[in-house]
């Protein structure tokens, strides 16, 4: 069998998807010898099948171009998806921002409206109900005040609390000693009075006796 016939037969059997070992048996040649024969005639293994070297190069070039176009299309789609996703995110973000701003504006408007409403509510006048009888009493009090406002008795006497005993004569030249019995409680009050006065007990007793005798001078 000539080389061309053998190659043709090999291609036909290979296209029938026969195993390489079976093809070698069919051609009556050893597997190793068949491989050397095919390589010598420019056939190379590609994807489990022998093809001419030029066909293999052309096939690989086509496969490379297809893969390149596929990767390019894939990259383009990925970029488009990223761009679309970014646009969708921007749209979503813009929508959320607008919604947030809208809510803020609504809150501000509600606050302003509430303040305006509160300001517009008129305050209730506090009215005091005064009867004619109450009015007459007030007039009476006013008239009384106008009458007594200039009286000295109405003025505050700042020295009233500091008022001491009034003694007519403090020069006691001749003194009389005597021994008398007085009520204990009365004497204790008298001593307390003397302690709060600038005068002595002799002076106070003398003035007290004078005042008492003036009161009952008809008995003298």
């Amino acid at each position: 069998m000539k080389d061309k016939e053998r190659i043709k037969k090999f291609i036909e059997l290979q296209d029938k998807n026969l195993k390489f070992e079976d093809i070698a048996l069919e051609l009556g040649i050893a597997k190793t010898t068949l491989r050397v024969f095919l390589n010598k005639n420019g056939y190379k293994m590609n994807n489990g099948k022998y093809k001419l070297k030029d066909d293999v190069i052309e096939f690989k070039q086509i496969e490379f171009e297809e893969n390149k176009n596929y990767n390019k299309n894939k990259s383009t789609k990925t970029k488009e998806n990223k761009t679309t996703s970014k646009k969708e995110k921007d749209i979503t973000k813009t929508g959320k921002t607008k919604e947030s701003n809208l809510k803020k504006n609504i809150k501000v408007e509600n606050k302003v409206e509430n303040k305006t409403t509160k300001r517009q509510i008129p305050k209730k006048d506090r009215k005091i109900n005064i009867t004619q009888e109450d009015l007459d009493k007030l007039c009476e009090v006013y008239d009384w005040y106008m009458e007594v406002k200039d009286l000295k008795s109405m003025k505050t006497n700042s020295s009233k609390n500091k008022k001491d005993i009034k003694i007519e004569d403090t020069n006691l030249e001749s003194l009389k000693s005597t021994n008398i019995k007085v009520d204990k409680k009365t004497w204790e009050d008298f001593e307390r009075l003397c302690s709060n006065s600038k005068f002595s007990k002799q002076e106070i007793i003398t003035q007290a006796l004078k005042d008492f005798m003036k009161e009952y001078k008809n008995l003298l």
Side-chain angles (χ1 to χ4, degrees):
M1 186 181 291
K2 295 181 179 181
D3 292 346
K4 290 184 178 180
E5 292 177 355
R6 183 174 289 170
I7 291 171
K8 183 179 179 182
K9 184 68 174 178
F10 174 82
I11 297 299
E12 288 177 356
L13 295 173
Q14 183 180 246
D15 290 339
K16 292 180 181 180
N17 295 324
L18 291 176
K19 292 181 179 181
F20 187 80
E21 294 84 351
D22 296 336
I23 295 174
L25 290 173
E26 187 70 23
L27 295 175
I29 189 172
K31 293 188 293 181
T32 305
T33 305
L34 182 59
R35 285 194 181 94
V36 173
F37 171 75
L38 291 171
N39 290 330
K40 185 179 179 180
N41 285 276
Y43 282 84
K44 298 291 181 183
M45 174 71 76
N46 184 46
N47 292 332
K49 290 186 178 182
Y50 279 90
K51 293 182 181 181
L52 277 173
K53 188 175 181 181
D54 294 336
D55 294 339
V56 172
I57 293 172
E58 184 179 358
F59 175 78
K60 287 186 177 181
Q61 183 67 28
I62 293 170
E63 186 178 9
F64 173 76
E65 291 295 332
E66 288 179 351
N67 291 333
K68 184 178 179 181
N69 292 332
Y70 173 77
N71 292 329
K72 185 177 180 180
N73 293 332
K74 186 177 180 181
S75 177
T76 303
K77 287 182 179 180
T78 303
K79 288 181 179 179
E80 289 177 353
N81 291 334
K82 286 183 178 180
T83 304
T84 305
S85 178
K86 186 178 181 181
K87 287 181 179 179
E88 289 177 353
K89 287 181 179 179
D90 291 339
I91 292 171
T92 305
K93 187 177 180 181
T94 304
K96 288 183 178 179
T97 304
K98 288 182 178 179
E99 184 179 357
S100 179
N101 292 334
L102 180 61
K103 288 181 179 179
K104 287 181 180 178
N105 292 333
I106 291 172
K107 287 182 179 179
V108 171
E109 289 177 358
N110 289 335
K111 286 183 179 179
V112 173
E113 185 178 355
N114 291 334
K115 287 183 179 179
T116 306
T117 305
K118 288 181 180 179
R119 288 177 182 175
Q120 288 178 352
I121 296 174
K123 293 183 178 179
K124 293 182 179 180
D125 295 333
R126 295 182 179 179
K127 295 181 180 180
I128 300 174
N129 295 324
I130 300 177
T131 62
Q132 186 62 40
E133 185 180 355
D134 295 332
L135 187 60
D136 293 339
K137 288 181 180 180
L138 289 173
C139 291
E140 290 177 3
V141 173
Y142 177 75
D143 293 339
W144 172 82
Y145 170 74
M146 293 302 292
E147 290 177 0
V148 301
K149 68 175 183 175
D150 295 328
L151 295 177
K152 291 183 180 181
S153 58
M154 295 296 292
K155 293 182 179 180
T156 304
N157 188 357
S158 58
S159 62
K160 186 176 181 181
N161 295 331
K162 298 180 181 180
K163 186 177 180 181
D164 201 349
I165 298 171
K166 187 177 180 181
I167 301 296
E168 294 177 356
D169 187 9
T170 57
N171 296 322
L172 303 178
E173 296 179 355
S174 58
L175 298 176
K176 172 67 176 175
S177 297
T178 183
N179 186 13
I180 60 174
K181 291 183 179 182
V182 184
D183 176 65
K184 184 178 180 181
K185 179 67 171 59
T186 303
W187 184 254
E188 289 175 352
D189 292 341
F190 175 72
E191 285 187 329
R192 188 162 48 253
L193 183 145
C194 293
S195 65
N196 293 326
S197 175
K198 65 180 180 178
F199 300 106
S200 64
K201 289 182 180 180
Q202 292 88 342
E203 292 172 339
I204 295 172
I205 290 173
T206 301
Q207 184 64 44
L209 290 173
K210 285 181 179 181
D211 293 338
F212 187 80
M213 287 186 290
K214 283 180 183 179
E215 182 71 23
Y216 299 100
K217 62 183 179 179
N218 60 318
L219 298 176
L220 294 175

